[in-house]
Amino acid sequence: MLQLRLNRKFSRNLTASAISRYFSFSTLYIAQGIPEGITFFAIPAWLAMNNKTPLEIATFVGIIGIPWSFKIIVAPLMDRFTFLAMGRKRPWVIFGQLGLILSFLSIAFIADPLNNLTALATVGFLISFFGAFQDVATDGMAVDVIPPDEQARANGLMWGSKIIGTSLSLVIGTALINSIGFKSAIASLSIAVALIMIVPIYFTERPGEKTMPWSKGKANAKSKKTQLRSWSQILKSLYRVIRLKGSIIFGIASFVIGTMYGLMDTLFPIFSVQELGWTNTSFSQVFSIASIIGGVLGMFVGGYLVDYFGKIKMLMFYLTVIATIIAIFALTSNFWSNNIVIYMFIVGYYTLYTFLCIAVFASAMQLCWKTVAATQFTLYMALSNMGRASGSALLGVLKTYFTWDYVFLFVAILPLIMALLMKFVCFDKHRKKIDSFSILDKVLVTPQVIKD
């Protein structure tokens, strides 16, 4: 009971307070959403408004999506190296956030970005790289400090916060671009990203750790025990868990559903502006409202539904409903001139998208082995983001040869493929296999000598 009361209090130590965990990770996910709203949605809509072709826009989105596929490269680095006196992942979170601030700000210095898509895509690539870097570090820290019974709820809050950050940056960014110009708009929004830097600086992972390198503190004993000390440990442990049937199937399923995400995210700005005749302001407002509705529902309902009904059951439900509404929309093109139909479709899709992401993330965490959880979780997310980049690039090809209704029908097939794959994943068997690794875990994971 005493521990429960303590857990409800606000604390600078993330392992001691659920409130601090929820607040910190939600805020860090808002930081990820801000540049994403600009680069993946506001800029493509702005380009569509200025008559750039679907192929040009899809190429831009595909390029800025590539770094999110590289997360699997940086995750082992974070597992292998860190400054333990400040925590296992927190130093990397701070570094990633700093890089995100600088790269996000640099986009405002591109000369004539509308007619210099190469430079725009290059800087967008850097923004995505540091965004992905911060995302890996944040996810790794979340896996380390969030207890299993909080994971679904925490994922709901985190993903909902990211959606809200994305939505607000889109609508505010679009308004600023149209009123004060592209460069000034981006510079203004970068201030919000900088302010969030306070969070990873203020909170520590575990008791007794340093706030900054020059402050008092030392490495926590638990961090020393779980820190891997060699590349061979990381690679052997990772191979042992990813070769399991559940890991392989879930990895393929992650790529498939990521392809759907990439297609839909790239499709909406182009479809609404060039096919429906909307302005980029209209798109940003509708998208933001739909995303905020989905984000808020995800924060307060999404995690609860996964906890109550189970991960697989909710995954199958969300995938089936998403496939159904996309297929129905594709087959009712005569109603696309009715804005109410479009609004209902966008709100419905993004609400289900948010709920699906929560279920997918919670499922991925359950499949992870604690020893290499950050790297394994990142592997799943990297595969999803590889699919996302592929989907973004694929849209330009699909739209070149097919009309919009056929493009939507193609998208509707993807969640059904994931649903079929998930039929072959057994979480209970997978967990038993991981539990059997405990002896190996004790052998491989030995304390590392750290200078505080």
Side-chain angles (χ1 to χ4, degrees):
M1 182 64 73
L2 180 61
Q3 178 63 33
L4 182 60
R5 290 197 191 103
L6 177 65
N7 209 37
R8 288 177 177 173
K9 291 181 180 179
F10 190 82
S11 170
R12 292 186 66 174
N13 167 22
L14 294 179
T15 57
S17 171
I19 294 176
S20 298
R21 288 191 288 272
Y22 294 149
F23 172 78
S24 298
F25 290 114
S26 296
T27 305
L28 288 170
Y29 261 70
I30 289 175
Q32 296 174 24
I34 293 173
E36 186 169 316
I38 290 293
T39 55
F40 280 92
F41 299 103
I43 292 178
W46 176 64
L47 294 174
M49 273 287 293
N50 286 277
N51 299 315
K52 296 299 178 181
T53 67
L55 185 59
E56 288 176 313
I57 299 170
T59 300
F60 168 79
V61 177
I63 290 172
I64 67 174
I66 291 173
W68 291 91
S69 304
F70 293 165
K71 296 200 300 182
I72 190 56
I73 298 175
V74 299
L77 290 172
M78 294 180 188
D79 275 339
R80 174 65 182 86
F81 301 106
T82 189
F83 181 50
L84 276 186
M86 288 179 61
R88 293 191 68 207
K89 297 297 185 296
R90 183 169 155 270
W92 291 113
V93 173
I94 294 173
F95 178 78
Q97 187 70 17
L98 179 61
L100 185 60
I101 293 168
L102 296 176
S103 58
F104 188 69
L105 186 60
S106 68
I107 201 172
F109 296 96
I110 299 173
D112 192 16
L114 190 60
N115 296 306
N116 193 359
L117 291 183
T118 300
L120 187 63
T122 301
V123 177
F125 182 94
L126 291 175
I127 293 172
S128 291
F129 174 80
F130 283 106
F133 194 99
Q134 192 258 34
D135 178 64
V136 172
T138 301
D139 287 342
M141 188 164 68
V143 172
D144 274 353
V145 305
I146 297 176
D149 60 343
E150 291 180 10
Q151 287 177 352
R153 191 179 308 113
N155 273 296
L157 291 169
M158 289 156 62
W159 194 251
S161 298
K162 181 176 181 177
I163 293 295
I164 290 173
T166 302
S167 304
L168 292 177
S169 70
L170 168 60
V171 70
I172 294 172
T174 299
L176 291 174
I177 288 172
N178 292 339
S179 59
I180 64 176
F182 183 83
K183 295 183 179 181
S184 299
I186 304 300
S188 299
L189 284 176
S190 66
I191 297 172
V193 181
L195 289 175
I196 293 174
M197 174 69 97
I198 297 171
V199 172
I201 291 175
Y202 179 80
F203 290 96
T204 62
E205 292 180 19
R206 293 180 171 86
E209 293 174 343
K210 296 174 180 283
T211 302
M212 297 300 288
W214 53 83
S215 61
K216 293 182 179 180
K218 62 180 181 179
N220 185 275
K222 189 171 183 179
S223 295
K224 290 181 179 180
K225 289 180 180 179
T226 54
Q227 180 68 20
L228 296 176
R229 66 187 182 93
S230 72
W231 287 111
S232 62
Q233 288 183 8
I234 295 174
L235 295 176
K236 288 178 181 178
S237 299
L238 182 62
Y239 174 74
R240 191 168 178 84
V241 70
I242 64 172
R243 66 193 290 267
L244 297 178
K245 176 183 174 182
S247 295
I248 295 172
I249 295 175
F250 191 81
I252 297 171
S254 296
F255 180 86
V256 171
I257 202 62
T259 304
M260 185 198 79
Y261 297 157
L263 279 165
M264 292 298 284
D265 286 348
T266 311
L267 179 155
F268 272 128
I270 304 171
F271 174 74
S272 61
V273 172
Q274 295 188 347
E275 175 68 20
L276 303 180
W278 292 7
T279 64
N280 62 336
T281 300
S282 299
F283 164 74
S284 68
Q285 291 172 345
V286 173
F287 174 86
S288 297
I289 292 171
S291 298
I292 288 174
I293 291 173
V296 171
L297 289 174
M299 291 174 71
F300 299 105
V301 180
Y304 171 78
L305 291 176
V306 171
D307 277 337
Y308 187 81
F309 292 104
K311 299 176 180 65
I312 284 291
K313 187 175 292 186
M314 295 313 298
L315 266 177
M316 302 302 289
F317 175 76
Y318 296 147
L319 291 167
T320 303
V321 176
I322 286 176
T324 301
I325 66 169
I326 294 175
I328 291 174
F329 185 77
L331 296 172
T332 55
S333 57
N334 291 337
F335 294 93
W336 289 357
S337 58
N338 189 326
N339 282 339
I340 295 177
V341 172
I342 304 297
Y343 297 158
M344 290 176 61
F345 173 67
I346 294 177
V347 171
Y349 170 77
Y350 276 106
T351 300
L352 288 166
Y353 161 79
T354 304
F355 281 34
L356 176 62
C357 287
I358 293 167
V360 169
F361 283 10
S363 299
M365 283 188 175
Q366 186 170 345
L367 291 171
C368 289
W369 182 19
K370 198 77 172 178
T371 303
V372 285
T375 301
Q376 186 185 350
F377 184 84
T378 300
L379 175 61
Y380 297 141
M381 298 303 104
L383 288 169
S384 176
N385 286 310
M386 286 175 63
R388 195 167 193 162
S390 300
S392 297
L394 181 60
L395 177 66
V397 178
L398 290 174
K399 190 60 189 72
T400 301
Y401 296 102
F402 301 100
T403 56
W404 283 113
D405 50 348
Y406 283 103
V407 173
F408 277 109
L409 283 174
F410 177 84
V411 176
I413 296 172
L414 298 173
L416 295 179
I417 295 175
M418 183 181 186
L420 178 63
L421 289 169
M422 292 307 297
K423 286 283 188 180
F424 298 95
V425 177
C426 180
F427 284 90
D428 291 338
K429 288 184 178 179
H430 186 88
R431 289 309 310 176
K432 288 178 182 178
K433 287 278 189 179
I434 289 178
D435 291 341
S436 71
F437 297 160
S438 57
I439 297 177
L440 178 64
D441 192 17
K442 291 178 181 178
V443 173
L444 291 179
V445 181
T446 56
Q448 184 179 9
V449 178
I450 298 294
K451 287 186 178 181
D452 296 328

